Structures are given as structure tokens and as C-alpha cells.
Amino acid sequence: QKEVEQDPGPLSVPEGAIVSLNCTYSNSAFQYFMWYRQYSRKGPELLMYTYSSGNKEDGRFTAQVDKSSKYISLFIRDSQPSDSATYLCAINPGAQKLVFGQGTRLTINP
Amino acid sequence: DTGVSQDPRHKITKRGQNVTFRCDPISEHNRLYWYRQTLGQGPEFLTYFQNEAQLEKSRLLSNRFSAERPKGSFSTLEIQRTEQGDSAMYLCASSAPGGRYNEQFFGPGTRLTVL
């Protein structure tokens, strides 16, 4: 079983829609969860991180962790065409490396 | 620009040739990471340095791959006898000492195409 699994999409929604992106992870001991955004032909950039369970909000973005079901989510409100990118969930399994999901390619249509 | 830089941005080579990539981390970041990303996949960890010491290597890093960070600043990743399966984006990241969740800052990557 992969440590992190993510639906690769692609996902296409109209501008202004609420977007929900999700990942599942295998090890209940994981505590740090991150979302990276990657534009085409660029390196990933950190969007948000959360520790343990609960929600974290930053502007139009909300990250959510449900440790009981080992599920992490990223919600984007009032989506914009500039949000079109690949979104990668990542976990820090306690070592120095990050383990990434496959990435979900998102397109916001004007 | 004080971000992570990588050189070259693109490399096309013929199978069997050796290639070397360079990464310059954010100054004052003592940790440096190499990842590989193939099309439609997330980045996969290859190796990690703390200062000049290489502390972890993935089993993905075959004996044709070698990475160095001689003075604890920039790093190089060399691939010997390249194969078509080595075609990928090679990403470098760096992080600062301390910190609980290990925020890593990524460079733009080197895209390798092996013909």
C-alpha cells in the first residue's frame, strides 16, 4: 500500500466553484500534512500545512485533516483561473524526506 | 533572487552518456534534497544532505546515480550511462535547520530527456 494516495483527476470546474481535493494516507502515526501547488514546468510551492487533526484556513484555501479516517482535504473557495495547477498532498513521515501523492491536475474554466 | 536555483533547466542527452545537474539552495539552509518527478506523478525522494553529509539515499538511487555536496553549499547530481527510463524532472529542495514540519523550498527543476 502506498503511504499517500491521491486521485490524479484531471478535475475541471467553472470559475467561482468550490473545489475539493483529497488524499488518503496509510500510517496513523503521521502528524504533519502539506499541500503543494505546482504550475506547469515549475517546481512545487508550499501552499499550506497542518499538524495533527482539524482545519486550517488561509484566505480562500482550507486544509482539513481527519485522522480517524486518515483523510486529508484541501478546499478552494471562489476558484479562479489562476488556481489552475497540479495540487500535491505530502506527508512528513518523521524522517527528513517528504512523501507526495500523485497530484491532482485542476483546471478552472473562466 | 534568493530562491533555490537549478542548472541546467533542460538537458537532452543520448542514452549511455553521463549528465550532471547542479543545485544552489537558499543560503543559510543546511538541508538539501533531491527528488525525481515523472510525468503525471508526484515527486519521489532520492537523497538528502545535512551540510556536506549525505544522510539518506532512496533505493531509487541506483549505483549509476551519485550526489555530492562538497562544502555544504551547492550540490551536484550525476547520472552515469543514462537510460531512457531516467527521463524525468529532477527537483532540488532545501530547508532551514530546526522546524517541526520540515518546510522544503523547491527549485524549478532540471528536465532530462534521454533519447
Side-chain angles (χ1 to χ4, degrees), chain B residues 23-105:
Chain B
C23 170
D24 287 88
I26 294 171
S27 61
E28 88 256 12
H29 281 190
N30 67 338
R31 295 174 182 163
L32 187 147
Y33 312 81
W34 286 98
Y35 291 83
R36 181 173 70 187
Q37 186 175 27
T38 53
L39 198 62
Q41 301 295 318
E44 293 176 291
F45 171 79
L46 291 178
T47 190
Y48 148 64
F49 290 85
Q50 181 160 304
N51 299 313
E52 64 275 9
Q54 188 173 18
L55 297 185
E56 188 176 349
K57 290 197 292 187
S58 162
R59 57 184 168 76
L60 291 175
L61 212 67
S62 77
N63 55 11
R64 296 185 298 105
F65 288 69
S66 62
E68 292 183 344
R69 194 182 183 198
K71 296 181 181 177
S73 56
F74 73 92
S75 175
T76 58
L77 178 69
E78 181 183 16
I79 309 174
Q80 295 182 326
R81 305 181 303 281
T82 52
E83 301 172 357
Q84 288 185 323
D86 297 330
S87 295
M89 174 82 91
Y90 289 84
L91 293 162
C92 176
S94 69
S95 68
R100 293 178 300 172
Y101 71 97
N102 189 23
E103 179 178 2
Q104 296 183 17
F105 296 83

Side-chain angles (χ1 to χ4, degrees), chain A residues 15-88:
Chain A
E15 183 175 355
I18 295 174
V19 177
S20 172
L21 304 166
N22 307 292
C23 290
T24 57
Y25 62 94
S26 60
N27 190 331
S28 56
F30 298 151
Q31 296 205 61
Y32 292 101
F33 307 92
M34 282 146 274
W35 285 95
Y36 278 79
R37 177 174 61 194
Q38 186 174 25
Y39 290 113
S40 183
R41 302 186 184 281
K42 304 275 188 180
E45 58 176 332
L46 182 66
L47 200 56
M48 297 187 70
Y49 80 93
T50 51
Y51 170 70
S52 194
S53 276
N55 292 0
K56 185 172 183 178
E57 193 172 317
D58 184 0
R60 296 184 295 108
F61 297 86
T62 300
Q64 191 174 78
V65 177
D66 181 346
K67 293 203 83 179
S68 62
S69 55
K70 291 185 271 187
Y71 202 77
I72 56 178
S73 303
L74 179 71
F75 299 98
I76 308 174
R77 291 184 301 282
D78 187 25
S79 55
Q80 304 294 310
S82 59
D83 295 328
S84 297
T86 295
Y87 288 80
L88 298 153

